[in-house]
Structures are given as structure tokens and as C-alpha cells.
Amino acid sequence: MAASNDAAALKSNAQTSSIWSTVRLVTHLLALVLLGQVLYRACLEAYQIRLFAIEEYGRVIHEFDPYFNYRATEYLWAHGWTKFRTWFDYKVWYPLGRPVGTTIYPGMQVTSCLIKKFILPNWSINDVCVYVPAWFGVFATLAVAWLTYECVSDSGVTTTKTCKTTLSAATQSSEFSSILSNIPVVRNLYESLILPVVNYSLNLMIRLTRSDWGLRPRRVNPLTPLCCAVCSACIMAIVPAHLLRSVGGGYDNESIAVTAMVLTFGCWCKSLKPMRRLWMNAAWGVVTGLAYFNMVAAWGGYVFVLNIIGVSAGVLVLLGRYSAKLHVAYSCFYIVGTILATRVPVVGWTPLKSLEQMGPLLAFAGLQLIELGERLIQKRGGVRMSQLQRWKLRLTIYLSAGAAAALVIAALWPTGYFGPISSRVRGLFVEHTKTGNPLVDSVAEHQAASPQAYYQYLNVAMYLAPVGMAMTALFFVSDSSAFLLVYGMAAYFFSHRMVRLILLTAPITSALGGIVLGRALSWAIGSVAGDCTSFTALLNGPDTSAESANNVTAAAPVKNGKPYKAKSNGRSNLSSKKYNVEFSGADPLYVKGIRLFVAFYAIYQSIPYGRDFWDYSHQMAHGISHPSIIQKSRTRDGKTVVIDDYREAYWWLRDNTPEDARIMAWWDYGYQITGISERTTLADGNTWNHEHIALLGRTLTAPEKEAHRITRHLADYVLVWSGGGGDDLAKSPHLRRIANSVFRGLCAEPTCRDFGFYSDRTPTDSMEDSLLYKMVMNQVAPNVKVDPNRFKEVFRSKHAKVRIYKVLSVSKESKEWVENPANRICDAPGSWFCRGQYPPALEKILKEKRDFQQLEDFNRKSGEVDEDYTKQYMENLKKGHSSGEKLAGKKKKNPVIQDKPAVLTPADIDMLNEDWTNDETTTMLWELVSRGRMEELKALFSQIPHAAHSRSEDGRGPLFWAYENGQREVIELLKSLGVSDDRTDSKGLKPSDLAPK
């Protein structure tokens, strides 16, 4: 009878086990199908959210820089690579010209041409360029998913080392550990105090509940990295930080560079995974170098990628995780990547000369020295050598190499071999991101990011990222995942210093946020399906799965294709066998129920946050999808008005001026004028020549008579932006400061506070006399008129956003002199590289200039830099415009930045609130308000009082955004200007309704 009962019990247990095995298999299969579907939906959403601009405005290129990229792509397609590489463009930077082939990162142009040639031959170049950002938004989403997968997954191979070293152990029982166990000072405390307490608690929980509740790390559940990858893709698909540079029509370098960057990072993390043969790591190192080459060709941000990989290699060494695979992976990456990078014309030999890229070179040299030292130790007896003997040998090698390097540096330094750190990079390490270069400081994207900016561009993902970083650091550090820690800290630091670099936070925020959500989701699935160690184990049945779950050392280590007995590395972690209580791996039914309930409850509570993130991202996508070159305005009665003044002006130039006409305009518009009007411009967004831009700034801000004396030798027409908002008058103080940095004495002090407007909005003497003021305010302000003997207005756009003046008495002699090839300077006889020269008539003006030198350019000769001038410039920027300070001139009034700017009449305010439009003014206001830039807002409202009452197309304006971002000071300022909080937007919401609850 007893035997019969035992047999029945065994049969019942077998049936139950078989049922649970089937449940686990079905659950995992359903999970795989669901994850695949979610990934597909994420990619589809990543594509569709970037098409708003195309759907509303058509296939139009946006902004300024994209027009240069488009024009360069057209030239490459029409003329081929050989001519593109030797293209010296004389239609830009007149009269100097620009060697485009050697000053451009051509990756995006080459990619677009390849797409047209092999994939979409029937599409126009314009259409391909418009859609490229949207396509690569999808690729970036998939690349982030892969990067996350590589950092979370377990390779399943214990070791690849063919040469043991004494700096790190040959094998590990688990790829993952806590960073605390890798820090020498902290390790003893962690292993003697923290780890025993945590394990005792887990063991006690197992004894009491017969379950570890999925909290003790074993071999990685194969669903975990998949869940993390898919969740990271869902975030990356719509995160606003990435949308900023990847909407349809935004044909900018970053639109494809983010994909190239993340692919490089993914390959690097893959190369650090344990593999069965060391040559596999070397192969992935080579692939990383190839991916890096793609990044170098696409964007100047390749320097960030190179340095992050170099720093991550150094961090692994400092954490005691040096291994042969790290050595071969980094060596192959650096050699292949550097060789290929030097083939990009704009890069050349800078990887071996620029200080910005010396760190990775030192990391490469350091790894060679470490490997050399370890091999010599092994050759001389290895473990038979005492610790002191080993370190003596290492120090001998390191110090000898250091001394040799010092001698080489000392010999090269005086020759000017090493290039200086650029102003933009230097600005990342100085206070308030001010560089001392007024040209760089004039760009809003180069300013520091505020805390509100992170929420604006990352939303709720910014709260998940720190949790993901802590989770990775404390429990899941491996050679690959350690990279995420380095990337995360670097991205935050640099984005904090320069708001434009918030773009860099999009991939790492998505990856870390995906890790949090993915591990939580995997834990939830494990409540039903169990925590299997591999899909093979799952298919083999319950016994194999349970055995694998309980086997903390997993598969036997492999060396040279044969199994061998692994040695412990001495590190302890939560999966260490000496701490574990035997656990079958199968949770009791009530534990499964509790875990399932917690999972459903967490999902239920997370749905509103996910929906809000989706809604916010789409709202942001609509907001940033409005091209600055076309604007739409909606009146209160619902009528839509299209403002196409800019293209209207450019088309007028194309159709009504000679083909050799030269157009003078501020450098912001150069790309659009050349790309659309097909006319010659004096400067554009490349900003490669500070002195030439200073000459342009001097001309535009000089008195009309003096300006004409210069203009007649350089231009046939002058184009200005007018109509308020971000017009040329708003930018004019920057023009004056840049001019004064080269032509000293134009202003009383370096920041040119005497060039602007008083508190009653009247211009200062120098502003009132300037050519720019007269052209913008011609016949608009009382008694302001352009001299008809020098300039003639020939075009005014429909909404007065653009005005064009013909230059009278143009010097034909100067124009013919510049066009004569004999007057160009070539680097060699018969060379294509022949730069133009200024006409002789400007020689007197040019003698007054003083070439601008950066403080960080240590190759300059002594006395070339006026350090007192730069010091005063920085001090005045810090002091700002003190409200009590008087300006020089006939009118002794307070400067423009006031605590209480002028207030419009109620009738004026009502009229302004009737016009709802998305334009450059609302875009600029949104940026300033969301970041709480009080001084900039005061300055803007003092010059343009009506800007405070601007309304975007959805009916929202500065007060709405101030409430939404919790900017109390901005709210008070706007109310003091008469901005009412009783007005409603298109949804009937008041500003206060948007305040955070």
C-alpha cells in the first residue's frame, strides 16, 4: 500500500512538474512574441513621430545648417567624390572662399548619396535628405536596444584568457559583481560587513518562505536583457532630447551621428564580453574601429566617443578588471579607428596631435605597458615572484616609458606640434561656459543647461536613469556594463555645461531607464514562468532548468577549446556559493501569486506616467517640427496664416539678381541664402574665420557712411531680418562684441554695453548711427531713413520679416580684382586649394584688425594676446548690466536690462493676444522661460515689450510655460508686464492649470 502511495505521489509530482514546465514554456514564448511586437511598435513610433513637419509643411529642409548639408549632398551627387574632396567653394565666405572638401564631415552626404543610388534611385536628393533624420531615428532606437542588451546579457562563457596575468584573475564565477567589490579601499568593508548582512537576510528569507523572490542574481535570465533592450528602445524612440536633432527635414549631422555613436559603443561593449577565443575579442575590436570611422566621418563629436572609450578602458584597469581581452579589444579598436580617422580630410593627423585626443593615445600606450609588464612577470616565474618583485618590475617599465614620453613631449612642444584645445571644448571646463571668445559665447546652444532643461528634454526618463545607474553599479557591474557608468557620468557633466549636449544624454538615459523597467518586467514574468537560465534549459524540461537555476557556476570554463578547472578570483557577490542556502529554483504557489500581484499593481500605477511621457513627447515633437524658415499663424477665429517671408526673400534674390551677385547678411543666414538663392555670401554657420566675421560685424554695426565704404567693395546687396523677435537688432550687440574683439576701440569696453537700447527703448548713439539699425527701422521709426545715395530698398517681404537693399556705387574694380584667378593664393602651383584675397581697397581697414587668439592657444607667441582685454571681457560678463551703471553718450540713462521693463497699454496687449503663431520668437521664449534665464528675458522684454505677450499656435505663451516649469521669478516678471493669467489656450486651460501638482 505504501509503495502504491509513493508511486502515485511521484506520478502526481511529475504531472505537476510537467504542467509548470508547459506553463513556463508558453509564458516565455508569449513574452518573446510580445517583446517583438513592442519593439516593432517602438520603431514604428520612432518613425512616425519624426514626420510631423513633413506632413504639415511638406518635404522642406529646416533651419540653417541643414541647408549647407543639403547643398553639399547635391554637389557630391552631381560631381562625385573626387571633385567633392577637392571642392573649393567661392560662392561662400567671399572673397576668401572655403575648401569644403577638407572642412566638412562628409558621412551624412555619402550616406544620403548611397541611399539614393542603391535604395531609392527614383527619389530626388531633396526628398532623401528630408527623410534621412527620420530613418536614422529608427536606427538609433535599435542601436540603443542593442547597446542595452550587450550590457545586461551574460555571455555564457567563463573565460577567454590564454595568458594569465597577476593583475586580475583568470576566471570569474559570474560576469557581474558590485562596484564596491572592485574598489580597493571599500572592498574589505563590503566583503566583511555589507555582503554578509545582505546574504544573511536573503538566506533567512529563503528559509522562511522557500523562495529568494527573484532577488538573488544567478546566471542572467535570457528574457532579462531582451526586456531591458525593448524598454530602452521604447524610451529612445520618443525621448525629446533625441527628437531635437532627428525630426524630418532637420538634415543635420547629429541626425545620423547619434546612430553611429551608439553603434560604436555597442561594438565596444560587445568586444569586452568573454568569448571562447581571444581572436574573437580582437575581431570585435576591429569592428568597433570601423563603427568609429563612421562616427568620425559624420560629426565632430567623434572626440567625445573616442575619449569615453579611452576613459572606460582606464576605469576597468583602475577597478582591477584588466584582462587580455581588454588589451586586444582596445588595441585593435584604437589602431584601426585611428588609421581610418586620419583618412577623413577634415580630421587628418589631429588624433596624434590634438590635446583633446591625447587621452585615448595615452590609454593605448598604458595598456601596452601593462601587458608588457604582465608578460615579463609570467616569463620570469609568475607566481614564484614575490609581490614586491612584481611591482618593482612594473614600476621600472612604467617609469622608463614615462621618462621617454616626457623627452618626446619636451622636444615637440616648442615646435607647435600639439594643437590647442578649441574654444567650444574649453568652454566645457570654465565657469558658466563662457570662453572669452564672443563668437562662441554668442551662440545660445553653448550656454549651460538648467535643471528644468533636463526635465524638458528627458521628462520622466530623467528619474529612471539614476536608478538604473545605481542598480548597475551596486549589483551588475561587468566589463561591458561598467561602460554605462562612465558614459552616464560624462554625458551628464558635458550636457550640464552646454545645453546642446543634452543630445548625448538621450541614449544613456534610455539605456539606464530601460534597465530599470526591463529588470522589473523580467522579475514580473519570472513570477509565472520561473527564472530560467537559458532557452535551451527551458526547452529541455523542468529538471534541467532547475538544475541550471541552482548551479551558480554554470558551464565549465573553456580554454583553447577544452574545459578546465576554474580558479576563484576571490571576489564575493550575492551569487557566491559560500553564502547561498540551497534553493530548488521553484517558487511556492503563494510566492508566485504575490509576485504576480505586485507586478500587475506596478504596471497599473506606471500606466499614467507612460501615457504622460507619450503625450509630452508628441507635444514636444509638434513644437520642434515647425521649421524656422516657414511659420504658421492662427488667429482667434481659427484662420491659419502661413508666413513664408524668408523663402520669399531668397527666391526674390534668385530670380531678380545677377548670378554673380554678392549678398551681405549676418552669418546665421548664409547657408540658406547660398542654398536657396544660389548667390554668393560673405559668411555662414561654419564660422571658421573669426576675423572675417568681425569685419562683417563691424560693417553692419558701423555708422552708415563708414559701412558703405566697406560694403561697396564686398557686396551688391544687403539682407537684414526685421519685424521683431530674433531679428538683427536683437542680435546686434553680439555683432558689435565680435567686431570689437578684432577691431579694438569700437566700444568703450569689451562687452560693448554702449551699443544697445535704453530702458525707454530708444537706441544709444552708436546703435542709432549704425547701418543695421537704419536698415531694420527704415521708415518704421520716426526720422529713421537710409541714405538714398548709398543704399536703395528693393524688396520687403509680405510680413516685413526680411528687407533687402541694393548697394549703390559698387566698386567694379574690386569685384573684378577678386574674380581674377591670378589674385588667389595657391598652396602649390596648379593646386585646387587657392584661397581668395581681400581687394586692395580694403587694405587700410584690414590694417586696423588684430587677429583674435584664444587664451588656450599656447602655440601663440608672447604678446600676441591682449590678456587684459580678455580678463575685462570675462569680468564684465560676470557682472552683467548693473541697473545703476550709466552708459557713455549724450543720453545718461539706465542700460537696457531693467528690473521693471516698460509695460504696454491694455489695448496693445489685447491686440497681441489675438495672434497665435509659431515663430522664432516663441521658440526663443520657450527656451528662455523653461530654463529660467531671467537676465536674457529682461533684456528681451526691454527691447521688444510685446514679446511677453506672444502666443504659440496652441494658444500658449511665456506665462503658460513659466507655470509649467515652475519658474516663479519668471511668472512675477511676466505679471509685472501685464501678462494676464486669465487667458486660455486652445484647450481652454489657464496658465495656472499647468502648474505641477
Side-chain angles (χ1 to χ4, degrees), residues 791-983:
F791 301 96
K792 176 184 178 181
E793 185 173 10
V794 292
F795 175 82
R796 184 182 303 189
S797 62
K798 182 178 180 180
H799 300 93
K801 294 286 187 181
V802 184
R803 304 177 77 168
I804 300 175
Y805 295 84
K806 180 178 176 62
V807 182
L808 304 180
S809 303
V810 170
S811 173
K812 294 183 179 179
E813 180 182 357
S814 292
K815 188 173 184 178
E816 292 173 355
W817 189 93
V818 171
E819 292 176 351
N820 186 353
N823 294 320
R824 295 170 183 165
I825 301 177
C826 300
D827 62 346
S831 171
W832 65 273
F833 194 101
C834 300
R835 65 176 178 85
Q837 298 187 79
Y838 293 104
L842 294 179
E843 184 177 350
K844 182 179 179 180
I845 295 291
L846 295 175
K847 285 182 178 180
E848 300 174 10
K849 74 182 180 70
R850 180 172 186 167
D851 289 348
F852 184 81
Q853 296 286 342
Q854 299 176 186
L855 282 177
E856 66 274 15
D857 187 357
F858 47 77
N859 291 328
R860 67 184 187 274
K861 297 178 181 178
S862 176
E864 285 186 353
V865 176
D866 187 348
E867 295 186 3
D868 291 337
Y869 177 91
T870 305
K871 181 180 179 181
Q872 186 181 1
Y873 172 85
M874 299 295 288
E875 289 178 351
N876 288 354
L877 283 179
K878 292 179 181 179
K879 289 189 296 186
H881 300 269
S882 171
S883 60
E885 187 178 358
K886 305 296 183 180
L887 292 178
K890 294 181 293 184
K891 303 171 184 178
K892 300 294 185 178
K893 302 180 182 179
N894 288 340
V896 62
I897 300 180
Q898 297 292 312
D899 292 332
K900 295 183 179 180
V903 179
L904 298 172
T905 65
D908 293 334
I909 294 174
D910 289 338
M911 184 179 299
L912 290 168
N913 278 276
E914 289 296 320
D915 185 21
W916 293 4
T917 181
N918 290 325
D919 56 20
E920 74 277 2
T921 302
T922 55
T923 301
M924 177 173 57
L925 282 169
W926 181 46
E927 291 284 343
L928 295 177
V929 171
S930 62
R931 291 156 53 188
R933 297 287 192 179
M934 285 293 294
E935 293 303 312
E936 288 92 332
L937 286 169
K938 289 178 183 178
L940 177 63
F941 297 149
S942 293
Q943 297 181 46
I944 314 169
H946 65 261
H949 304 276
S950 300
R951 306 285 290 275
S952 61
E953 192 173 285
D954 59 3
R956 297 182 180 179
L959 191 58
F960 287 85
W961 303 323
Y963 270 105
E964 187 176 16
N965 290 279
Q967 299 288 352
R968 301 303 307 175
E969 287 187 276
V970 179
I971 292 173
E972 295 301 322
L973 172 63
L974 291 169
K975 287 185 176 181
S976 72
L977 294 171
V979 182
S980 172
D981 56 4
D982 290 329
R983 300 185 187 275

Side-chain angles (χ1 to χ4, degrees), residues 273-347:
K273 302 293 284 288
M275 298 181 188
R276 295 185 179 276
R277 293 290 186 273
L278 199 58
W279 67 263
M280 296 180 180
N281 297 92
W284 274 104
V286 172
V287 174
T288 305
L290 295 174
Y292 169 70
F293 170 62
N294 183 29
M295 176 66 198
V296 175
W299 187 35
Y302 77 90
V303 177
F304 173 80
V305 175
L306 176 63
N307 279 277
I308 289 300
I309 293 179
V311 170
S312 69
V315 167
L316 289 177
V317 173
L318 294 177
L319 291 177
R321 304 187 72 96
Y322 175 80
S323 61
K325 61 183 174 61
L326 172 62
H327 170 251
V328 299
Y330 188 84
S331 298
C332 291
F333 151 72
Y334 187 81
I335 293 173
V336 172
T338 301
I339 291 174
L340 293 177
T342 59
R343 300 301 90 202
V344 179
V346 69
V347 176

Side-chain angles (χ1 to χ4, degrees), residues 402-452:
L407 290 175
V408 172
I409 293 173
L412 293 177
W413 193 283
T415 67
Y417 173 84
F418 297 104
I421 299 174
S422 68
S423 285
R424 289 177 175 85
V425 173
R426 178 178 177 269
L428 297 173
F429 299 95
V430 297
E431 187 177 2
H432 303 309
T433 324
K434 297 301 182 183
T435 67
N437 185 333
L439 177 57
V440 175
D441 294 341
S442 69
V443 182
E445 289 180 333
H446 295 162
Q447 306 309 309
S450 65
Q452 292 79 13

Side-chain angles (χ1 to χ4, degrees), residues 448-665:
S450 65
Q452 292 79 13
Y454 287 99
Y455 185 81
Q456 178 181 350
Y457 296 122
L458 299 175
N459 201 252
V460 296
M462 67 176 286
Y463 300 115
L464 291 174
V467 178
M469 179 170 285
M471 184 182 295
T472 301
L474 294 177
F475 304 109
F476 301 103
V477 169
S478 66
D479 290 354
S480 297
S481 64
F483 173 80
L484 296 181
L485 306 181
V486 175
Y487 179 14
M489 290 185 287
Y492 172 76
F493 174 81
F494 290 117
S495 63
H496 178 67
R497 307 300 296 180
M498 185 183 292
V499 67
R500 176 183 182 180
L501 297 182
I502 284 184
L503 170 71
L504 299 176
T505 66
I508 186 60
T509 299
S510 301
L512 294 174
I515 286 174
V516 176
L517 299 178
R519 290 194 179 278
L521 181 60
S522 176
W523 182 86
I525 295 174
S527 64
V528 176
D531 300 307
C532 74
T533 61
S534 68
F535 291 119
T536 302
L538 183 68
L539 294 172
N540 286 340
D543 293 335
T544 305
S545 179
E547 180 182 354
S548 299
N550 194 38
N551 183 3
V552 297
T553 58
V558 176
K559 177 178 178 180
N560 297 329
K562 299 179 182 180
Y564 74 100
K565 185 176 181 180
K567 299 180 181 180
S568 173
N569 67 339
R571 289 199 185 108
S572 301
N573 51 48
L574 295 181
S575 63
S576 180
K577 191 169 183 178
K578 73 175 185 175
Y579 289 113
N580 281 358
V581 171
E582 292 297 327
F583 172 54
S584 65
D587 287 331
L589 187 60
Y590 80 92
V591 173
K592 293 179 182 291
I594 295 176
R595 286 177 64 176
L596 192 61
F597 171 78
V598 172
F600 274 111
Y601 180 78
I603 293 173
Y604 174 77
Q605 292 294 326
S606 301
I607 288 176
Y609 294 100
R611 185 182 296 115
D612 289 344
F613 179 57
W614 190 91
D615 292 339
Y616 178 82
S617 297
H618 280 72
Q619 180 184 353
M620 284 282 292
H622 279 287
I624 62 182
S625 293
H626 295 284
S628 62
I629 200 170
I630 307 175
Q631 300 162 9
K632 284 189 177 181
S633 174
R634 188 176 64 181
T635 60
R636 292 298 298 272
D637 60 5
K639 182 181 179 181
T640 300
V641 178
V642 177
I643 301 175
D644 204 0
D645 283 34
Y646 304 111
R647 292 199 302 173
E648 179 186 341
Y650 301 147
W651 288 332
W652 186 90
L653 285 172
R654 181 193 62 192
D655 299 334
N656 296 277
T657 63
E659 291 186 5
D660 64 347
R662 304 159 298 171
I663 315 301
M664 174 180 286

Side-chain angles (χ1 to χ4, degrees), residues 705-725:
K705 183 178 180 180
E706 178 186 342
H708 182 263
R709 290 175 180 170
I710 302 174
T711 305
R712 64 186 295 266
H713 296 289
L714 294 175
D716 301 295
Y717 296 85
V718 180
L719 180 148
V720 295
W721 278 22
S722 55

Side-chain angles (χ1 to χ4, degrees), residues 226-278:
L226 292 176
C227 290
C228 294
V230 171
C231 289
S232 66
C234 291
I235 298 174
M236 185 64 180
I238 61 174
V239 67
H242 186 222
L243 290 175
L244 281 171
R245 296 288 178 172
S246 60
V247 295
Y251 189 57
D252 219 334
N253 293 75
E254 293 91 332
S255 62
I256 72 167
V258 172
T259 302
M261 178 180 72
V262 179
L263 282 175
T264 304
F265 290 160
C267 292
W268 169 244
C269 292
K270 179 68 175 180
S271 70
L272 297 177
K273 302 293 284 288
M275 298 181 188
R276 295 185 179 276
R277 293 290 186 273
L278 199 58

